[in-house]
Amino acid sequence: MDIKDYGKHLSSPFLKKALKIHSDARKFMGDFLKEGRDFIEIPPVIISGITDPLNHPTTKSQVEVYGYKYELTKSMIFHKQIALHTLDKIFAFSPNIRLEPEERKETGRHLIEFTQIDVEQKNATREEVMDLAEDLIIYTISKILEKDSDILDSFNRKLSVPKKPFKKITYTEALAKYGKDFETKLSKEAKEPFWLIDIHIMEREFYDREDPKRPGILRDMDLIYPEGFGEASSGGEREFELEQIYKRISKKGQTPEQFKWYIEFAKEYGLVPSAGFGIGIERFVRFVCGAKDVRDVTLFPKAPGEYFPI
Ligand code: ASP
Ligand code: MG
C-alpha cells in the first residue's frame, strides 16, 4: 500500500468498524474456548528453530540472534503439539509471517503478516475438533450479530448463524466434480460454511495424520467460507509416532535435518496424539464484514510482494 493511500485507509469508516468486529471476534472466540470449553490460552511464539513447512512455496524469513538462525513463525503447529505435554486443551492468538508468492497479492485473502487462532486438543479426534470449530464459529457469529448488528447493517451485510453440522465434501469428490479449482467454485456456490475432508497425502504437510485404514488419505480438514470467501481454516489429527513422521517427511522430499529440533524433541520426550485447527482472524473478519479484500479490514496491511514499511 502506498503511503498516500494509507492515509485514506486509516481514516476510512469501514476500517474503523471492521476493527471493532475484529476486537469483538477475538473476545468471543477467547471466551468460548476459555469459559465454555476449559481451554488455556498460551502466548504466541515469534521466533524458533522449527516452524510449519506449509504445503505451498513461501520464502523463508529468518532472523539471526546471537549468531544463530531462527525462523519467524509460519504457524505454531509444532509448538501446539509440544505445549500438550503440559496442558490438555490450548489455543493462542498467533501472529504468522508467510512470505507468499507475489501472484497472491490480489486474491483478497492473503497477507504476509496475519494472526490465527490456533487450537489444539490432546487425544482428540478430527470429528471432535470439527464439532468444536463449528461451535466456535456459531458462538462467535451469534455474539457478533447480537452486539454489532448496527455495524453489519451499515455495511449492508446480511449474515446468518450457520447451522450444525456443516456439510462435508471429500477431497476426492470435490476434485472429480469440479476439477483443480474446486475450492473457489465450491466456495462461490455455497450458502453456508462447509468442510473439505480427507485431503490427499501429498496435498498437505507431513504432520497431518494419515488414516491408518485408508493409506494416502489424511485425517484432516479445511473449513471453507461460502459466497466465494474461500478458506477459513485448516486442521486435522496429527502424526505422533516418530517412524511415521520420518516416513512422511521423506515422502514430501524433505529431510529430518530440516526439522532437527522437532525431531530431537520427539525422540527425547515423544509426542502425544492430538487434533486441532487454525482460523485466520483477518479472513474471519473479512467474511463477517463482507469485505472485498482482507487488506480492507486490517490496520497495517502487508500484501504479498509488497514493501510496506509501517
Ligand atoms: N497448521 C495449520 C495452518 O496454519 C493449522 C493447523 O493445522 O492447526 O495452516
Ligand atoms: Mg490451509
Side-chain angles (χ1 to χ4, degrees):
M1 188 173 289
D2 194 270
I3 200 86
K4 294 216 173 67
D5 298 329
Y6 190 50
K8 245 186 280 155
H9 179 72
L10 283 181
S11 57
S12 121
F14 188 88
L15 177 67
K16 187 170 178 166
K17 293 176 190 170
L19 291 171
K20 169 74 164 64
I21 303 264
H22 183 136
S23 166
D24 286 344
R26 283 187 182 233
K27 171 175 162 45
F28 300 140
M29 287 177 173
D31 285 353
F32 171 82
L33 290 170
K34 283 194 271 201
E35 279 152 39
R37 304 295 174 107
D38 298 325
F39 276 74
I40 303 275
E41 181 172 2
I42 61 166
V45 170
I46 310 282
I47 56 169
S48 174
I50 44 171
T51 193
D52 195 335
L54 300 176
N55 188 61
H56 63 277
T58 50
T59 305
K60 204 172 191 171
S61 69
Q62 274 184 338
V63 284
E64 206 173 288
V65 179
Y66 304 124
Y68 294 99
K69 289 197 171 66
Y70 286 79
E71 275 196 74
L72 300 181
T73 295
K74 288 192 276 192
S75 98
M76 268 179 62
I77 178 65
F78 301 136
H79 295 86
K80 289 198 294 182
Q81 287 184 287
I82 291 168
L84 295 182
H85 281 67
T86 310
L87 299 162
D88 291 348
K89 294 162 132 193
I90 51 132
F91 74 98
F93 285 103
S94 165
N96 289 184
I97 299 290
R98 297 184 183 180
L99 305 185
E100 302 282 352
E102 192 165 348
E103 311 83 85
R104 294 195 156 183
K105 183 170 173 181
E106 299 303 338
T107 59
R109 293 187 294 120
H110 288 92
L111 292 169
I112 60 165
E113 180 181 60
F114 66 94
T115 300
Q116 65 173 327
I117 184 165
D118 230 331
V119 181
E120 200 74 20
Q121 182 173 339
K122 194 156 140 181
N123 294 324
T125 62
R126 173 179 70 176
E127 285 66 29
E128 283 166 342
V129 294
M130 284 166 75
D131 192 59
L132 176 75
E134 290 183 6
D135 287 341
L136 172 65
I137 298 266
I138 288 171
Y139 177 84
T140 308
I141 292 183
S142 310
K143 294 298 273 185
I144 288 173
L145 284 171
E146 214 179 286
K147 205 167 165 210
D148 297 319
S149 60
D150 52 330
I151 296 182
L152 297 183
D153 288 347
S154 79
F155 293 166
N156 225 344
R157 175 72 171 139
K158 307 250 172 304
L159 192 68
S160 52
V161 181
K163 277 171 273 322
K164 264 183 89 170
F166 298 176
K167 284 201 176 116
K168 296 178 192 68
I169 182 163
T170 67
Y171 177 92
T172 308
E173 215 183 316
L175 189 64
K177 267 200 199 149
Y178 296 87
K180 253 183 81 196
D181 206 17
F182 62 80
E183 190 175 304
T184 311
K185 290 180 185 152
L186 280 163
S187 175
K188 277 190 185 142
E189 254 180 31
K191 301 272 177 283
E192 299 249 307
F194 65 93
W195 295 106
L196 177 72
I197 59 167
D198 293 352
I199 297 161
H200 286 186
I201 196 161
M202 295 311 280
E203 300 301 322
R204 282 297 181 271
E205 302 80 9
F206 75 82
Y207 53 75
D208 279 355
R209 184 160 181 255
E210 186 173 12
D211 191 329
K213 292 191 218 92
R214 294 185 300 164
I217 305 286
L218 301 176
R219 294 275 303 149
D220 69 349
M221 73 286 182
D222 272 6
L223 180 68
I224 315 291
Y225 291 125
E227 304 167 75
F229 286 97
E231 187 189 320
S233 169
S234 295
E237 287 174 22
R238 316 304 183 183
E239 292 294 357
F240 56 94
E241 289 154 313
L242 203 49
E243 277 319 303
Q244 196 63 15
I245 290 171
Y246 282 131
K247 199 180 107 192
R248 295 288 303 283
I249 287 177
S250 99
K251 205 175 176 92
K252 294 287 289 190
Q254 295 158 331
T255 61
E257 196 47 37
Q258 285 173 257
F259 307 102
K260 184 171 185 287
W261 296 109
Y262 179 64
I263 303 281
E264 292 283 310
F265 178 90
K267 274 204 224 155
E268 192 75 21
Y269 304 108
L271 294 168
V272 295
S274 72
F277 56 86
I279 300 176
I281 304 291
E282 291 83 353
R283 286 182 177 183
F284 178 78
V285 176
R286 176 192 175 217
F287 167 65
V288 167
C289 295
K292 189 167 167 290
D293 196 296
V294 72
R295 287 176 284 188
D296 301 339
V297 301
T298 304
L299 196 51
F300 308 109
K302 293 185 181 68
E306 193 175 79
Y307 177 57
F308 179 64
I310 289 182

